[in-house]
Amino acid sequence: MRLSRYFLPILRDTPKEAEIVSHRLMLRAGMIRQQSAGIYAWLPLGLRVLNKINAVIREEQNRAGAVELLMPVIQSADLWRESGRYEDYGKEMLRIKDRHEREMLFGPTNEEMITEIFRTYVRSYKDLPLNLYHIQWKFRDEVRPRFGVMRSREFLMKDAYSFDLTAEGAQHSYNKMFVAYLRTFARLGLTAIPMVADTGPIGGNLSHEFIILAPTGESDVFCHKDYLSFTPPAADVNFDDPKAMQSEVDRFTSLYSATSEKHDEAAYEALPDEAKVSARGIEVGHIFYFGTKYSEPMKAVVSGPEGKDVTVHMGSYGIGPSRLVAALIEANHDDNGIIWPDDIAPFRVGIANLKSGDAATDAACEDIYAKLTKAGVDVLYDDRDERAGAKFATMDLIGLPYQVIVGPKGLADGQVELKIRRSGEREMLSPEAVLNRLLATISPAI
């Protein structure tokens, strides 16, 4: 992509309403634009990051055996009355009526709708287990939306829903999502700690939040220090092996960890002082097992092995991709801007032409740009007629991992500069050597 043809509304000054780093940098980098309190438009740069996060989430959900569908954002109030949640949910639910005075709502979650879909089509225990997921916009009318997309009213959510014949089967489905979440966050470059959590309005009696530690986190969390160095489940982990899944869950629940709602002060104080971690945390995922909470009132049953109707056991599993964008920035930034993990960066490589219009620099930039693009690498080519300092600042602000700087002085010696954003390392190389280095380092774009 040529920056001269791209829509990238960079802000020089930090907006006053931005209280935390991720909100400030997302606004300054032209990733989002606030349209109303807690409601944001995702501009091209932000949308690229959001789509790359979604791609990682999809890969790991599919690997774990979940099947994607897409449910609407508007739901019938009648479904929520069946489950008994319509009146209980509270003012966070946006209730509306259509022109025929039918009561509708903008979905804050999808347990009722997915249960209705399941009971319509699934009749036999032979069709179980089943896990269905989608990535869809949600709305919760937060009383005080803040921190940009970290705590917004409209947000993108990956929610999955499992259906099993027995509680034991449901536990295996829960474990599979537990492991899939650990792998997802590790691939995004995040150290996410599973913590025993409150089930809230979703319900049930088993729940874990996946928390990353950050000073700007919205809640207090407590855990054993060793969690910070745990290795994630391997790429070849067998999701169909209940023992393998339980082993991974046991490993990641073997030490103390809990959110403030579930904190056991006595158990925490029993830890050695050097092992105690008390910090602020950002929730990036939440999983629930709630048995027959929805399937029983909504009559989601299948014919069992003996021909009798069996009420299915359910679980739900959420990840907020839009929230993850902010969480990644909170964990990866410096004074100059964002430092994206390579696979999530909106563009892997930035090319800065320090003298646009100069025949030699134009030709060198065009050659590098064409060859990287042909190899499937996402490239942002800054071909604008701007001063060099502005180009450097833009590439650092938006967090491009690899930056190729092409100027007439370096080219006179047959060299261009390669900068690594995360380390700050700089090296002068020939254009051919830069291409070889990048192509050997960078996998094709997601």
Side-chain angles (χ1 to χ4, degrees), residues 128-131 161-178 206 246 287-292 311-317:
L128 301 181
L130 181 64
N131 189 324
Y161 302 91
S162 63
F163 301 86
D164 286 271
L165 188 67
T166 65
E168 293 75 20
Q171 180 69 62
H172 178 49
S173 293
Y174 184 94
N175 291 349
K176 288 166 69 174
M177 287 293 100
F178 189 107
L206 175 61
Q246 190 62 57
I287 62 177
F288 307 82
Y289 164 63
F290 39 69
T292 59
T311 302
V312 296
H313 289 252
M314 293 176 59
S316 70
Y317 316 91

PDB file of all heavy atoms in Angstrom, residues 128-131 161-178 206 246 287-292 311-317:
ATOM      1  N   LEU A 128     -23.501 -35.123  18.719  1.00  0.00           N
ATOM      2  CA  LEU A 128     -22.721 -34.445  19.757  1.00  0.00           C
ATOM      3  C   LEU A 128     -21.365 -35.129  19.908  1.00  0.00           C
ATOM      4  O   LEU A 128     -21.202 -36.298  19.582  1.00  0.00           O
ATOM      5  CB  LEU A 128     -23.483 -34.489  21.083  1.00  0.00           C
ATOM      6  CG  LEU A 128     -24.867 -33.847  21.078  1.00  0.00           C
ATOM      7  CD1 LEU A 128     -25.493 -33.957  22.464  1.00  0.00           C
ATOM      8  CD2 LEU A 128     -24.789 -32.394  20.646  1.00  0.00           C
ATOM      9  N   PRO A 129     -20.356 -34.402  20.398  1.00  0.00           N
ATOM     10  CA  PRO A 129     -20.401 -33.016  20.857  1.00  0.00           C
ATOM     11  C   PRO A 129     -20.414 -32.036  19.683  1.00  0.00           C
ATOM     12  O   PRO A 129     -20.015 -32.373  18.567  1.00  0.00           O
ATOM     13  CB  PRO A 129     -19.110 -32.880  21.663  1.00  0.00           C
ATOM     14  CG  PRO A 129     -18.175 -33.835  21.009  1.00  0.00           C
ATOM     15  CD  PRO A 129     -19.020 -35.009  20.589  1.00  0.00           C
ATOM     16  N   LEU A 130     -20.839 -30.812  19.985  1.00  0.00           N
ATOM     17  CA  LEU A 130     -20.898 -29.760  18.971  1.00  0.00           C
ATOM     18  C   LEU A 130     -20.473 -28.443  19.606  1.00  0.00           C
ATOM     19  O   LEU A 130     -20.881 -28.127  20.730  1.00  0.00           O
ATOM     20  CB  LEU A 130     -22.327 -29.641  18.426  1.00  0.00           C
ATOM     21  CG  LEU A 130     -22.563 -28.593  17.334  1.00  0.00           C
ATOM     22  CD1 LEU A 130     -21.780 -28.938  16.066  1.00  0.00           C
ATOM     23  CD2 LEU A 130     -24.058 -28.478  17.026  1.00  0.00           C
ATOM     24  N   ASN A 131     -19.643 -27.704  18.896  1.00  0.00           N
ATOM     25  CA  ASN A 131     -19.240 -26.377  19.353  1.00  0.00           C
ATOM     26  C   ASN A 131     -19.396 -25.415  18.182  1.00  0.00           C
ATOM     27  O   ASN A 131     -18.777 -25.601  17.132  1.00  0.00           O
ATOM     28  CB  ASN A 131     -17.780 -26.393  19.845  1.00  0.00           C
ATOM     29  CG  ASN A 131     -17.383 -25.097  20.538  1.00  0.00           C
ATOM     30  OD1 ASN A 131     -17.813 -24.021  20.156  1.00  0.00           O
ATOM     31  ND2 ASN A 131     -16.553 -25.214  21.561  1.00  0.00           N
ATOM     32  N   TYR A 161     -20.099 -21.707  21.703  1.00  0.00           N
ATOM     33  CA  TYR A 161     -21.077 -22.374  22.556  1.00  0.00           C
ATOM     34  C   TYR A 161     -20.980 -23.882  22.325  1.00  0.00           C
ATOM     35  O   TYR A 161     -21.131 -24.357  21.202  1.00  0.00           O
ATOM     36  CB  TYR A 161     -22.488 -21.881  22.245  1.00  0.00           C
ATOM     37  CG  TYR A 161     -22.619 -20.383  22.407  1.00  0.00           C
ATOM     38  CD1 TYR A 161     -22.394 -19.536  21.326  1.00  0.00           C
ATOM     39  CD2 TYR A 161     -22.915 -19.826  23.644  1.00  0.00           C
ATOM     40  CE1 TYR A 161     -22.482 -18.158  21.480  1.00  0.00           C
ATOM     41  CE2 TYR A 161     -23.007 -18.449  23.804  1.00  0.00           C
ATOM     42  CZ  TYR A 161     -22.784 -17.628  22.718  1.00  0.00           C
ATOM     43  OH  TYR A 161     -22.854 -16.268  22.875  1.00  0.00           O
ATOM     44  N   SER A 162     -20.728 -24.617  23.404  1.00  0.00           N
ATOM     45  CA  SER A 162     -20.579 -26.073  23.287  1.00  0.00           C
ATOM     46  C   SER A 162     -21.829 -26.788  23.790  1.00  0.00           C
ATOM     47  O   SER A 162     -22.515 -26.313  24.701  1.00  0.00           O
ATOM     48  CB  SER A 162     -19.353 -26.544  24.077  1.00  0.00           C
ATOM     49  OG  SER A 162     -19.496 -26.278  25.460  1.00  0.00           O
ATOM     50  N   PHE A 163     -22.109 -27.935  23.173  1.00  0.00           N
ATOM     51  CA  PHE A 163     -23.256 -28.777  23.515  1.00  0.00           C
ATOM     52  C   PHE A 163     -22.761 -30.209  23.679  1.00  0.00           C
ATOM     53  O   PHE A 163     -22.120 -30.760  22.780  1.00  0.00           O
ATOM     54  CB  PHE A 163     -24.314 -28.723  22.408  1.00  0.00           C
ATOM     55  CG  PHE A 163     -24.836 -27.338  22.131  1.00  0.00           C
ATOM     56  CD1 PHE A 163     -24.166 -26.510  21.239  1.00  0.00           C
ATOM     57  CD2 PHE A 163     -25.967 -26.874  22.758  1.00  0.00           C
ATOM     58  CE1 PHE A 163     -24.635 -25.232  20.975  1.00  0.00           C
ATOM     59  CE2 PHE A 163     -26.451 -25.598  22.504  1.00  0.00           C
ATOM     60  CZ  PHE A 163     -25.784 -24.770  21.608  1.00  0.00           C
ATOM     61  N   ASP A 164     -23.085 -30.803  24.832  1.00  0.00           N
ATOM     62  CA  ASP A 164     -22.629 -32.164  25.132  1.00  0.00           C
ATOM     63  C   ASP A 164     -23.743 -32.956  25.785  1.00  0.00           C
ATOM     64  O   ASP A 164     -24.657 -32.391  26.402  1.00  0.00           O
ATOM     65  CB  ASP A 164     -21.414 -32.122  26.055  1.00  0.00           C
ATOM     66  CG  ASP A 164     -20.150 -31.696  25.339  1.00  0.00           C
ATOM     67  OD1 ASP A 164     -19.459 -32.572  24.802  1.00  0.00           O
ATOM     68  OD2 ASP A 164     -19.871 -30.483  25.291  1.00  0.00           O
ATOM     69  N   LEU A 165     -23.625 -34.275  25.679  1.00  0.00           N
ATOM     70  CA  LEU A 165     -24.640 -35.166  26.242  1.00  0.00           C
ATOM     71  C   LEU A 165     -24.520 -35.274  27.754  1.00  0.00           C
ATOM     72  O   LEU A 165     -25.529 -35.401  28.461  1.00  0.00           O
ATOM     73  CB  LEU A 165     -24.518 -36.559  25.610  1.00  0.00           C
ATOM     74  CG  LEU A 165     -25.625 -37.550  25.951  1.00  0.00           C
ATOM     75  CD1 LEU A 165     -26.956 -37.098  25.346  1.00  0.00           C
ATOM     76  CD2 LEU A 165     -25.251 -38.944  25.422  1.00  0.00           C
ATOM     77  N   THR A 166     -23.286 -35.202  28.264  1.00  0.00           N
ATOM     78  CA  THR A 166     -23.051 -35.417  29.692  1.00  0.00           C
ATOM     79  C   THR A 166     -22.190 -34.317  30.275  1.00  0.00           C
ATOM     80  O   THR A 166     -21.526 -33.567  29.555  1.00  0.00           O
ATOM     81  CB  THR A 166     -22.329 -36.756  29.926  1.00  0.00           C
ATOM     82  OG1 THR A 166     -21.013 -36.691  29.333  1.00  0.00           O
ATOM     83  CG2 THR A 166     -23.104 -37.917  29.317  1.00  0.00           C
ATOM     84  N   ALA A 167     -22.159 -34.258  31.599  1.00  0.00           N
ATOM     85  CA  ALA A 167     -21.305 -33.303  32.288  1.00  0.00           C
ATOM     86  C   ALA A 167     -19.832 -33.598  32.014  1.00  0.00           C
ATOM     87  O   ALA A 167     -19.012 -32.673  31.895  1.00  0.00           O
ATOM     88  CB  ALA A 167     -21.582 -33.342  33.790  1.00  0.00           C
ATOM     89  N   GLU A 168     -19.494 -34.885  31.906  1.00  0.00           N
ATOM     90  CA  GLU A 168     -18.105 -35.257  31.623  1.00  0.00           C
ATOM     91  C   GLU A 168     -17.685 -34.785  30.231  1.00  0.00           C
ATOM     92  O   GLU A 168     -16.581 -34.266  30.037  1.00  0.00           O
ATOM     93  CB  GLU A 168     -17.930 -36.780  31.720  1.00  0.00           C
ATOM     94  CG  GLU A 168     -18.085 -37.364  33.116  1.00  0.00           C
ATOM     95  CD  GLU A 168     -19.541 -37.425  33.583  1.00  0.00           C
ATOM     96  OE1 GLU A 168     -20.451 -37.372  32.722  1.00  0.00           O
ATOM     97  OE2 GLU A 168     -19.765 -37.521  34.804  1.00  0.00           O
ATOM     98  N   GLY A 169     -18.589 -34.962  29.277  1.00  0.00           N
ATOM     99  CA  GLY A 169     -18.299 -34.477  27.927  1.00  0.00           C
ATOM    100  C   GLY A 169     -18.175 -32.966  27.887  1.00  0.00           C
ATOM    101  O   GLY A 169     -17.320 -32.415  27.181  1.00  0.00           O
ATOM    102  N   ALA A 170     -19.043 -32.298  28.648  1.00  0.00           N
ATOM    103  CA  ALA A 170     -18.989 -30.841  28.698  1.00  0.00           C
ATOM    104  C   ALA A 170     -17.686 -30.345  29.313  1.00  0.00           C
ATOM    105  O   ALA A 170     -17.146 -29.318  28.913  1.00  0.00           O
ATOM    106  CB  ALA A 170     -20.182 -30.310  29.490  1.00  0.00           C
ATOM    107  N   GLN A 171     -17.161 -31.093  30.297  1.00  0.00           N
ATOM    108  CA  GLN A 171     -15.883 -30.726  30.896  1.00  0.00           C
ATOM    109  C   GLN A 171     -14.763 -30.803  29.849  1.00  0.00           C
ATOM    110  O   GLN A 171     -13.881 -29.945  29.795  1.00  0.00           O
ATOM    111  CB  GLN A 171     -15.558 -31.645  32.071  1.00  0.00           C
ATOM    112  CG  GLN A 171     -14.233 -31.339  32.760  1.00  0.00           C
ATOM    113  CD  GLN A 171     -14.253 -30.029  33.517  1.00  0.00           C
ATOM    114  OE1 GLN A 171     -15.024 -29.850  34.462  1.00  0.00           O
ATOM    115  NE2 GLN A 171     -13.403 -29.088  33.105  1.00  0.00           N
ATOM    116  N   HIS A 172     -14.812 -31.820  29.001  1.00  0.00           N
ATOM    117  CA  HIS A 172     -13.817 -31.945  27.937  1.00  0.00           C
ATOM    118  C   HIS A 172     -13.926 -30.779  26.953  1.00  0.00           C
ATOM    119  O   HIS A 172     -12.907 -30.215  26.515  1.00  0.00           O
ATOM    120  CB  HIS A 172     -13.970 -33.279  27.220  1.00  0.00           C
ATOM    121  CG  HIS A 172     -13.019 -33.480  26.083  1.00  0.00           C
ATOM    122  ND1 HIS A 172     -11.661 -33.263  26.193  1.00  0.00           N
ATOM    123  CD2 HIS A 172     -13.232 -33.877  24.789  1.00  0.00           C
ATOM    124  CE1 HIS A 172     -11.069 -33.511  25.029  1.00  0.00           C
ATOM    125  NE2 HIS A 172     -12.009 -33.885  24.172  1.00  0.00           N
ATOM    126  N   SER A 173     -15.144 -30.398  26.605  1.00  0.00           N
ATOM    127  CA  SER A 173     -15.335 -29.256  25.710  1.00  0.00           C
ATOM    128  C   SER A 173     -14.790 -27.977  26.340  1.00  0.00           C
ATOM    129  O   SER A 173     -14.161 -27.152  25.663  1.00  0.00           O
ATOM    130  CB  SER A 173     -16.822 -29.079  25.381  1.00  0.00           C
ATOM    131  OG  SER A 173     -17.296 -30.155  24.605  1.00  0.00           O
ATOM    132  N   TYR A 174     -15.021 -27.820  27.636  1.00  0.00           N
ATOM    133  CA  TYR A 174     -14.502 -26.667  28.373  1.00  0.00           C
ATOM    134  C   TYR A 174     -12.972 -26.684  28.329  1.00  0.00           C
ATOM    135  O   TYR A 174     -12.332 -25.652  28.071  1.00  0.00           O
ATOM    136  CB  TYR A 174     -15.000 -26.737  29.816  1.00  0.00           C
ATOM    137  CG  TYR A 174     -14.638 -25.562  30.704  1.00  0.00           C
ATOM    138  CD1 TYR A 174     -15.523 -24.493  30.848  1.00  0.00           C
ATOM    139  CD2 TYR A 174     -13.445 -25.541  31.409  1.00  0.00           C
ATOM    140  CE1 TYR A 174     -15.211 -23.423  31.678  1.00  0.00           C
ATOM    141  CE2 TYR A 174     -13.125 -24.479  32.245  1.00  0.00           C
ATOM    142  CZ  TYR A 174     -14.012 -23.424  32.376  1.00  0.00           C
ATOM    143  OH  TYR A 174     -13.695 -22.359  33.198  1.00  0.00           O
ATOM    144  N   ASN A 175     -12.393 -27.843  28.553  1.00  0.00           N
ATOM    145  CA  ASN A 175     -10.934 -27.955  28.557  1.00  0.00           C
ATOM    146  C   ASN A 175     -10.341 -27.629  27.186  1.00  0.00           C
ATOM    147  O   ASN A 175      -9.274 -27.011  27.087  1.00  0.00           O
ATOM    148  CB  ASN A 175     -10.513 -29.360  28.978  1.00  0.00           C
ATOM    149  CG  ASN A 175     -10.797 -29.647  30.440  1.00  0.00           C
ATOM    150  OD1 ASN A 175     -11.119 -28.744  31.210  1.00  0.00           O
ATOM    151  ND2 ASN A 175     -10.697 -30.902  30.837  1.00  0.00           N
ATOM    152  N   LYS A 176     -11.020 -28.047  26.126  1.00  0.00           N
ATOM    153  CA  LYS A 176     -10.535 -27.759  24.774  1.00  0.00           C
ATOM    154  C   LYS A 176     -10.491 -26.255  24.525  1.00  0.00           C
ATOM    155  O   LYS A 176      -9.517 -25.739  23.950  1.00  0.00           O
ATOM    156  CB  LYS A 176     -11.427 -28.441  23.732  1.00  0.00           C
ATOM    157  CG  LYS A 176     -11.258 -29.954  23.684  1.00  0.00           C
ATOM    158  CD  LYS A 176     -12.366 -30.637  22.913  1.00  0.00           C
ATOM    159  CE  LYS A 176     -12.302 -30.346  21.430  1.00  0.00           C
ATOM    160  NZ  LYS A 176     -13.315 -31.143  20.678  1.00  0.00           N
ATOM    161  N   MET A 177     -11.519 -25.540  24.966  1.00  0.00           N
ATOM    162  CA  MET A 177     -11.508 -24.091  24.797  1.00  0.00           C
ATOM    163  C   MET A 177     -10.465 -23.434  25.695  1.00  0.00           C
ATOM    164  O   MET A 177      -9.810 -22.464  25.314  1.00  0.00           O
ATOM    165  CB  MET A 177     -12.897 -23.517  25.085  1.00  0.00           C
ATOM    166  CG  MET A 177     -13.925 -23.805  24.017  1.00  0.00           C
ATOM    167  SD  MET A 177     -13.606 -22.966  22.436  1.00  0.00           S
ATOM    168  CE  MET A 177     -12.865 -24.326  21.506  1.00  0.00           C
ATOM    169  N   PHE A 178     -10.288 -23.968  26.882  1.00  0.00           N
ATOM    170  CA  PHE A 178      -9.252 -23.485  27.806  1.00  0.00           C
ATOM    171  C   PHE A 178      -7.885 -23.530  27.110  1.00  0.00           C
ATOM    172  O   PHE A 178      -7.130 -22.554  27.102  1.00  0.00           O
ATOM    173  CB  PHE A 178      -9.269 -24.370  29.046  1.00  0.00           C
ATOM    174  CG  PHE A 178      -8.419 -23.903  30.202  1.00  0.00           C
ATOM    175  CD1 PHE A 178      -9.021 -23.377  31.338  1.00  0.00           C
ATOM    176  CD2 PHE A 178      -7.039 -24.021  30.177  1.00  0.00           C
ATOM    177  CE1 PHE A 178      -8.244 -22.975  32.429  1.00  0.00           C
ATOM    178  CE2 PHE A 178      -6.255 -23.627  31.242  1.00  0.00           C
ATOM    179  CZ  PHE A 178      -6.860 -23.100  32.383  1.00  0.00           C
ATOM    180  N   LEU A 206     -18.723 -22.813  36.946  1.00  0.00           N
ATOM    181  CA  LEU A 206     -17.321 -22.992  36.597  1.00  0.00           C
ATOM    182  C   LEU A 206     -16.954 -21.932  35.577  1.00  0.00           C
ATOM    183  O   LEU A 206     -17.599 -21.809  34.533  1.00  0.00           O
ATOM    184  CB  LEU A 206     -17.091 -24.391  36.012  1.00  0.00           C
ATOM    185  CG  LEU A 206     -15.677 -24.684  35.483  1.00  0.00           C
ATOM    186  CD1 LEU A 206     -14.641 -24.563  36.593  1.00  0.00           C
ATOM    187  CD2 LEU A 206     -15.631 -26.068  34.844  1.00  0.00           C
ATOM    188  N   GLN A 246      -6.983 -32.433  29.817  1.00  0.00           N
ATOM    189  CA  GLN A 246      -7.052 -32.283  31.270  1.00  0.00           C
ATOM    190  C   GLN A 246      -5.671 -32.016  31.849  1.00  0.00           C
ATOM    191  O   GLN A 246      -5.524 -31.230  32.803  1.00  0.00           O
ATOM    192  CB  GLN A 246      -7.650 -33.539  31.896  1.00  0.00           C
ATOM    193  CG  GLN A 246      -7.991 -33.399  33.383  1.00  0.00           C
ATOM    194  CD  GLN A 246      -9.048 -32.330  33.637  1.00  0.00           C
ATOM    195  OE1 GLN A 246     -10.153 -32.400  33.089  1.00  0.00           O
ATOM    196  NE2 GLN A 246      -8.720 -31.341  34.454  1.00  0.00           N
ATOM    197  N   ILE A 287     -14.366 -17.862  29.923  1.00  0.00           N
ATOM    198  CA  ILE A 287     -15.056 -19.100  29.547  1.00  0.00           C
ATOM    199  C   ILE A 287     -15.943 -19.565  30.697  1.00  0.00           C
ATOM    200  O   ILE A 287     -15.638 -19.330  31.872  1.00  0.00           O
ATOM    201  CB  ILE A 287     -14.075 -20.204  29.124  1.00  0.00           C
ATOM    202  CG1 ILE A 287     -13.133 -20.597  30.269  1.00  0.00           C
ATOM    203  CG2 ILE A 287     -13.274 -19.754  27.909  1.00  0.00           C
ATOM    204  CD1 ILE A 287     -12.183 -21.750  29.915  1.00  0.00           C
ATOM    205  N   PHE A 288     -17.054 -20.227  30.340  1.00  0.00           N
ATOM    206  CA  PHE A 288     -18.057 -20.652  31.323  1.00  0.00           C
ATOM    207  C   PHE A 288     -18.544 -22.062  31.007  1.00  0.00           C
ATOM    208  O   PHE A 288     -18.741 -22.410  29.846  1.00  0.00           O
ATOM    209  CB  PHE A 288     -19.297 -19.749  31.279  1.00  0.00           C
ATOM    210  CG  PHE A 288     -19.054 -18.276  31.405  1.00  0.00           C
ATOM    211  CD1 PHE A 288     -18.677 -17.524  30.296  1.00  0.00           C
ATOM    212  CD2 PHE A 288     -19.224 -17.630  32.616  1.00  0.00           C
ATOM    213  CE1 PHE A 288     -18.480 -16.158  30.402  1.00  0.00           C
ATOM    214  CE2 PHE A 288     -19.030 -16.277  32.729  1.00  0.00           C
ATOM    215  CZ  PHE A 288     -18.643 -15.545  31.617  1.00  0.00           C
ATOM    216  N   TYR A 289     -18.774 -22.836  32.051  1.00  0.00           N
ATOM    217  CA  TYR A 289     -19.580 -24.052  31.937  1.00  0.00           C
ATOM    218  C   TYR A 289     -20.810 -23.824  32.799  1.00  0.00           C
ATOM    219  O   TYR A 289     -20.699 -23.517  33.998  1.00  0.00           O
ATOM    220  CB  TYR A 289     -18.817 -25.292  32.428  1.00  0.00           C
ATOM    221  CG  TYR A 289     -19.726 -26.475  32.685  1.00  0.00           C
ATOM    222  CD1 TYR A 289     -20.447 -27.050  31.640  1.00  0.00           C
ATOM    223  CD2 TYR A 289     -19.895 -26.983  33.969  1.00  0.00           C
ATOM    224  CE1 TYR A 289     -21.310 -28.120  31.872  1.00  0.00           C
ATOM    225  CE2 TYR A 289     -20.744 -28.061  34.210  1.00  0.00           C
ATOM    226  CZ  TYR A 289     -21.449 -28.617  33.150  1.00  0.00           C
ATOM    227  OH  TYR A 289     -22.309 -29.666  33.382  1.00  0.00           O
ATOM    228  N   PHE A 290     -21.991 -23.935  32.191  1.00  0.00           N
ATOM    229  CA  PHE A 290     -23.210 -23.667  32.979  1.00  0.00           C
ATOM    230  C   PHE A 290     -24.237 -24.788  32.858  1.00  0.00           C
ATOM    231  O   PHE A 290     -25.425 -24.582  33.189  1.00  0.00           O
ATOM    232  CB  PHE A 290     -23.842 -22.328  32.598  1.00  0.00           C
ATOM    233  CG  PHE A 290     -23.827 -22.000  31.137  1.00  0.00           C
ATOM    234  CD1 PHE A 290     -24.601 -22.700  30.247  1.00  0.00           C
ATOM    235  CD2 PHE A 290     -23.025 -20.981  30.656  1.00  0.00           C
ATOM    236  CE1 PHE A 290     -24.605 -22.398  28.903  1.00  0.00           C
ATOM    237  CE2 PHE A 290     -23.010 -20.671  29.306  1.00  0.00           C
ATOM    238  CZ  PHE A 290     -23.800 -21.370  28.424  1.00  0.00           C
ATOM    239  N   GLY A 291     -23.813 -25.944  32.418  1.00  0.00           N
ATOM    240  CA  GLY A 291     -24.697 -27.099  32.458  1.00  0.00           C
ATOM    241  C   GLY A 291     -25.974 -26.916  31.667  1.00  0.00           C
ATOM    242  O   GLY A 291     -25.962 -26.669  30.468  1.00  0.00           O
ATOM    243  N   THR A 292     -27.117 -27.007  32.364  1.00  0.00           N
ATOM    244  CA  THR A 292     -28.421 -26.951  31.702  1.00  0.00           C
ATOM    245  C   THR A 292     -29.156 -25.641  31.983  1.00  0.00           C
ATOM    246  O   THR A 292     -30.375 -25.570  31.858  1.00  0.00           O
ATOM    247  CB  THR A 292     -29.287 -28.141  32.160  1.00  0.00           C
ATOM    248  OG1 THR A 292     -29.455 -28.075  33.596  1.00  0.00           O
ATOM    249  CG2 THR A 292     -28.642 -29.465  31.798  1.00  0.00           C
ATOM    250  N   THR A 311     -31.477 -33.656  28.263  1.00  0.00           N
ATOM    251  CA  THR A 311     -31.181 -32.224  28.190  1.00  0.00           C
ATOM    252  C   THR A 311     -29.676 -32.033  28.065  1.00  0.00           C
ATOM    253  O   THR A 311     -28.902 -32.585  28.853  1.00  0.00           O
ATOM    254  CB  THR A 311     -31.687 -31.503  29.451  1.00  0.00           C
ATOM    255  OG1 THR A 311     -33.108 -31.722  29.573  1.00  0.00           O
ATOM    256  CG2 THR A 311     -31.426 -30.005  29.365  1.00  0.00           C
ATOM    257  N   VAL A 312     -29.261 -31.263  27.085  1.00  0.00           N
ATOM    258  CA  VAL A 312     -27.828 -31.142  26.820  1.00  0.00           C
ATOM    259  C   VAL A 312     -27.147 -30.213  27.827  1.00  0.00           C
ATOM    260  O   VAL A 312     -27.776 -29.343  28.429  1.00  0.00           O
ATOM    261  CB  VAL A 312     -27.564 -30.631  25.386  1.00  0.00           C
ATOM    262  CG1 VAL A 312     -28.061 -31.624  24.361  1.00  0.00           C
ATOM    263  CG2 VAL A 312     -28.182 -29.250  25.154  1.00  0.00           C
ATOM    264  N   HIS A 313     -25.850 -30.424  27.986  1.00  0.00           N
ATOM    265  CA  HIS A 313     -25.014 -29.569  28.828  1.00  0.00           C
ATOM    266  C   HIS A 313     -24.294 -28.565  27.937  1.00  0.00           C
ATOM    267  O   HIS A 313     -23.795 -28.922  26.867  1.00  0.00           O
ATOM    268  CB  HIS A 313     -23.996 -30.415  29.594  1.00  0.00           C
ATOM    269  CG  HIS A 313     -24.606 -31.247  30.670  1.00  0.00           C
ATOM    270  ND1 HIS A 313     -24.448 -30.969  32.010  1.00  0.00           N
ATOM    271  CD2 HIS A 313     -25.388 -32.363  30.599  1.00  0.00           C
ATOM    272  CE1 HIS A 313     -25.102 -31.874  32.715  1.00  0.00           C
ATOM    273  NE2 HIS A 313     -25.680 -32.735  31.888  1.00  0.00           N
ATOM    274  N   MET A 314     -24.210 -27.320  28.425  1.00  0.00           N
ATOM    275  CA  MET A 314     -23.667 -26.246  27.594  1.00  0.00           C
ATOM    276  C   MET A 314     -22.543 -25.484  28.290  1.00  0.00           C
ATOM    277  O   MET A 314     -22.432 -25.477  29.519  1.00  0.00           O
ATOM    278  CB  MET A 314     -24.785 -25.253  27.226  1.00  0.00           C
ATOM    279  CG  MET A 314     -25.858 -25.810  26.321  1.00  0.00           C
ATOM    280  SD  MET A 314     -27.190 -24.595  26.035  1.00  0.00           S
ATOM    281  CE  MET A 314     -26.249 -23.239  25.313  1.00  0.00           C
ATOM    282  N   GLY A 315     -21.742 -24.832  27.458  1.00  0.00           N
ATOM    283  CA  GLY A 315     -20.733 -23.903  27.938  1.00  0.00           C
ATOM    284  C   GLY A 315     -20.623 -22.771  26.934  1.00  0.00           C
ATOM    285  O   GLY A 315     -21.044 -22.903  25.783  1.00  0.00           O
ATOM    286  N   SER A 316     -20.092 -21.618  27.363  1.00  0.00           N
ATOM    287  CA  SER A 316     -19.856 -20.517  26.424  1.00  0.00           C
ATOM    288  C   SER A 316     -18.466 -19.952  26.665  1.00  0.00           C
ATOM    289  O   SER A 316     -17.922 -20.016  27.779  1.00  0.00           O
ATOM    290  CB  SER A 316     -20.921 -19.423  26.554  1.00  0.00           C
ATOM    291  OG  SER A 316     -20.783 -18.708  27.766  1.00  0.00           O
ATOM    292  N   TYR A 317     -17.906 -19.370  25.585  1.00  0.00           N
ATOM    293  CA  TYR A 317     -16.489 -19.027  25.597  1.00  0.00           C
ATOM    294  C   TYR A 317     -16.278 -17.738  24.795  1.00  0.00           C
ATOM    295  O   TYR A 317     -16.529 -17.719  23.583  1.00  0.00           O
ATOM    296  CB  TYR A 317     -15.682 -20.175  24.981  1.00  0.00           C
ATOM    297  CG  TYR A 317     -16.140 -21.543  25.467  1.00  0.00           C
ATOM    298  CD1 TYR A 317     -17.119 -22.261  24.776  1.00  0.00           C
ATOM    299  CD2 TYR A 317     -15.638 -22.093  26.641  1.00  0.00           C
ATOM    300  CE1 TYR A 317     -17.568 -23.494  25.224  1.00  0.00           C
ATOM    301  CE2 TYR A 317     -16.088 -23.329  27.104  1.00  0.00           C
ATOM    302  CZ  TYR A 317     -17.056 -24.019  26.389  1.00  0.00           C
ATOM    303  OH  TYR A 317     -17.513 -25.235  26.840  1.00  0.00           O
TER     304      TYR A 317
END
